[in-house]
Amino acid sequence: LRNGFDIAAVFTHRDDPHENIWFDSVAELAACRGIPIHAPENISHPLWVGKIRQMQPDIIFSFYYRHMIKPAILDIPPAGCLNLHGSLLPKYRGRCPINWVLVNGEKETGVTLHYMTPKPDDGDIVCQKSVAISSDDTALSLHKKIADAAAVMLDDILPPLKQGRAPRKCQDNTQASYYGGRRPADGQINWERIASEIRNLVRAVTRPYPGAFSYIGDRKCLFWSVTDVPDLKETAAPGEVLSLEPLVIACGRDAVRVDFGQLEQGIYLPGTQLARELNLVEGMKFGLNNGKCIESAKKKKVLILGVNGFIGSALSERLLSSGKYEVHGMDLHS
């Protein structure tokens, strides 16, 4: 609109009730400007293809549209179809590029405007703009940086694009990398990884995304912010609680300090209060949920007092070896 384009229609998606809506609504903006709005389940259905053809668009833009656009639509506009992608193509083709660059600890990313083809993100590049990634960036802050960079880039390229004199260059497919979508389950922490990698995962999926998580027993704990604790001299098993104030957890190398987190059904807490909420003690271990918690729910639960004594430890071993009991132990000295 700012660059004098006549927008025939906006196609968008319905809000997902299971998703945190943190972005502005393109439908609301279009409605306020008197632009027709559509949200088809399948934009490539012949009826919608026919309607788009009747609009006679000169050009089609796709800005984070969530479905692949088929050749039947790509072939309609004489000036082609252009897509805005949140990476410096040909790197990080595919879905969730902003989350992936953080998971992988990249120092730079960007935004690319490129021509669309039937293959995802492989068309000729019109323009790009780089964005630096700081050590404090999360997926949300990086999204905002890229949105700002995209606005500047589009203001520069839209006038020549409108006049039919925008540049285009082929992508170097030998430099291409592709990443798939991410699910909430992909946020589970593997404590065997080094501390910096775990921190990168946490900041890549922190709020408004579902979050990085781990289990202590059968309780799921979300970690919203952690800090590296480098040069750790202490030898500890990955996932082991090293201290409570602050809450520090050992990794495959070094450790992380938990700044903020919460129980799955709890509230947002600082790490030290979270440790109290979980009744943690040093030496307890966070770990992957491999189904043992579900299996243990079927077993008879036994509490043994004086578990570190001769009788207590022998009884514990006998019960555990039978596979029929879930054993909990307490001892005055441990």
Side-chain angles (χ1 to χ4, degrees):
L1 289 171
R2 187 164 66 244
N3 284 277
F5 279 69
D6 177 19
I7 301 177
V10 163
F11 286 77
T12 185
H13 57 85
R14 293 179 176 85
D15 289 337
D16 184 343
H18 302 293
E19 182 180 356
N20 289 328
I21 306 300
W22 52 268
F23 37 82
D24 293 337
S25 169
V26 67
E28 288 182 19
L29 177 60
C32 292
R33 300 301 181 93
I35 300 169
I37 311 147
H38 309 287
E41 291 294 330
N42 179 12
I43 195 173
S44 296
H45 189 282
L47 289 175
W48 283 109
V49 173
K51 289 181 180 180
I52 293 171
R53 188 175 287 114
Q54 289 173 6
M55 295 174 188
Q56 298 183 316
D58 297 302
I59 191 167
I60 290 177
F61 290 101
S62 172
F63 294 156
Y64 282 68
Y65 191 65
R66 294 188 173 185
H67 307 289
M68 286 294 292
I69 298 175
K70 302 291 180 65
I73 295 176
L74 298 179
D75 293 339
I76 292 174
C81 300
L82 289 100
N83 178 58
L84 189 76
H85 185 74
S87 79
L88 293 175
L89 292 175
K91 296 180 179 178
Y92 289 93
R93 291 175 177 175
R95 298 186 178 275
C96 309
I98 291 175
N99 305 88
W100 279 115
V101 295
L102 290 172
V103 169
N104 293 337
E106 300 284 4
K107 303 299 183 185
E108 182 185 61
T109 186
V111 62
T112 302
L113 187 68
H114 69 96
Y115 282 95
M116 299 174 70
T117 72
K119 295 181 180 180
D121 308 321
D122 82 329
D124 291 352
I125 293 172
V126 177
C127 57
Q128 293 182 309
K129 194 169 183 64
S130 299
V131 171
I133 303 174
S134 75
S135 60
D136 296 328
D137 269 324
T138 65
L140 180 58
S141 67
L142 191 54
H143 260 290
K144 291 177 178 177
K145 283 184 178 181
I146 287 180
D148 291 342
V152 173
M153 184 182 74
L154 289 171
D155 277 338
D156 289 339
I157 198 63
L158 287 176
L161 193 63
K162 191 176 182 182
Q163 297 166 13
R165 54 181 183 84
R168 60 188 295 173
K169 66 175 181 178
C170 295
Q171 293 192 42
D172 182 356
N173 290 325
T174 64
Q175 300 298 313
S177 58
Y178 182 87
Y179 289 83
R182 293 188 61 86
R183 304 165 300 156
D186 295 326
Q188 185 159 203
I189 296 171
N190 179 359
W191 296 101
E192 300 280 349
R193 307 304 291 265
I194 64 176
S196 61
E197 292 175 339
I198 290 174
R199 180 180 180 274
N200 284 335
L201 172 64
V202 171
R203 67 191 184 118
V205 297
T206 191
R207 301 191 308 175
Y209 290 89
F213 62 92
S214 189
Y215 289 84
I216 188 85
D218 59 355
R219 292 173 294 176
K220 182 178 179 180
C221 184
L222 296 159
F223 298 89
W224 298 122
S225 176
V226 301
T227 302
D228 297 29
V229 182
D231 302 322
L232 186 70
K233 305 302 182 185
E234 188 172 350
T235 301
E240 184 177 336
V241 176
L242 300 179
S243 71
L244 306 178
E245 294 187 9
L247 175 55
V248 176
I249 304 172
C251 306
R253 190 178 76 212
D254 299 326
V256 293
R257 183 187 73 228
V258 178
D259 300 316
F260 300 99
Q262 69 183 81
L263 278 166
E264 184 176 30
Q265 304 301 325
I267 58 174
Y268 190 95
L269 296 171
T272 52
Q273 188 174 350
L274 178 64
R276 293 194 296 270
E277 187 86 3
L278 290 166
N279 294 314
L280 297 181
V281 295
E282 293 179 10
M284 293 177 74
K285 282 185 65 177
F286 283 89
L288 301 173
N289 180 18
N290 56 11
K292 289 183 179 178
C293 295
I294 297 173
E295 182 65 28
S296 67
K298 303 174 184 176
K299 299 177 181 179
K300 184 179 290 294
K301 297 181 179 180
V302 176
L303 172 64
I304 296 179
L305 306 181
V307 72
N308 277 357
F310 176 76
I311 296 175
S313 60
L315 181 58
S316 297
E317 289 180 10
R318 184 70 176 270
L319 291 172
L320 288 170
S321 65
S322 74
K324 299 178 181 179
Y325 300 92
E326 177 183 328
V327 180
H328 298 258
M330 295 179 67
D331 195 282
L332 287 175
H333 302 293
S334 176

